[in-house]
Amino acid sequence: MLAFLLKIGIGSLASKLAAAYKARENAKTDQERIAADERIAMLKAQASVQRPIDAVIRILFALPVAIYFGKLYFWDKVLAWGSTDPLSPELDKIAMVIIGFYFIHSIFK
C-alpha cells in the first residue's frame, strides 16, 4: 500500500527523475544524452513548482486538526476550562490520517 501511495504522489516524480538519470547514464549518443538532460531539467522544474503548492495544501488540511487537538489538550485538559465534543467516527479517521501523514512524510523526506 505504501508503494502505491508513493507511486501516485511525489514518488512518481522521484521515480521518473531516477529513470531520467539512468537514461542519461545509459545514453550512447549525444542526442540521447541531451534528451535525458532536458527530461531531468523538466522534472526538476516540475518538482520545484509542486512542492510549494503541496505545502500549502498540507497546511490547509492540517490546520483544523491542529486547532481541534490544541484546544482539546490545552484548554480542556491542561486548564480544565471546558469540554470539547468528540469527533464523529468519520472525522476521527480523517484526523488520524492527517496526523499519520505528517509522521510518515517526515520519514521519507
Side-chain angles (χ1 to χ4, degrees), residues 64-87 92 95-96 99:
V65 175
I67 291 170
Y68 175 80
F69 283 107
K71 191 234 182 239
L72 181 72
Y73 292 134
F74 184 72
W75 192 266
D76 295 349
K77 297 298 179 185
V78 173
L79 299 175
W81 285 354
S83 64
T84 302
D85 294 335
L87 293 173
D92 186 47
M96 292 304 119
I99 292 169

Side-chain angles (χ1 to χ4, degrees), residues 55-71 98-99 102:
V56 169
I57 291 170
R58 284 194 303 266
I59 289 169
L60 291 176
F61 269 101
L63 190 59
V65 175
I67 291 170
Y68 175 80
F69 283 107
K71 191 234 182 239
I98 291 171
I99 292 169
Y102 272 92

Side-chain angles (χ1 to χ4, degrees), residues 40-52:
I40 290 168
M42 183 194 66
L43 290 170
K44 283 183 177 181
Q46 184 180 359
S48 69
V49 169
Q50 205 173 29
R51 286 186 185 131

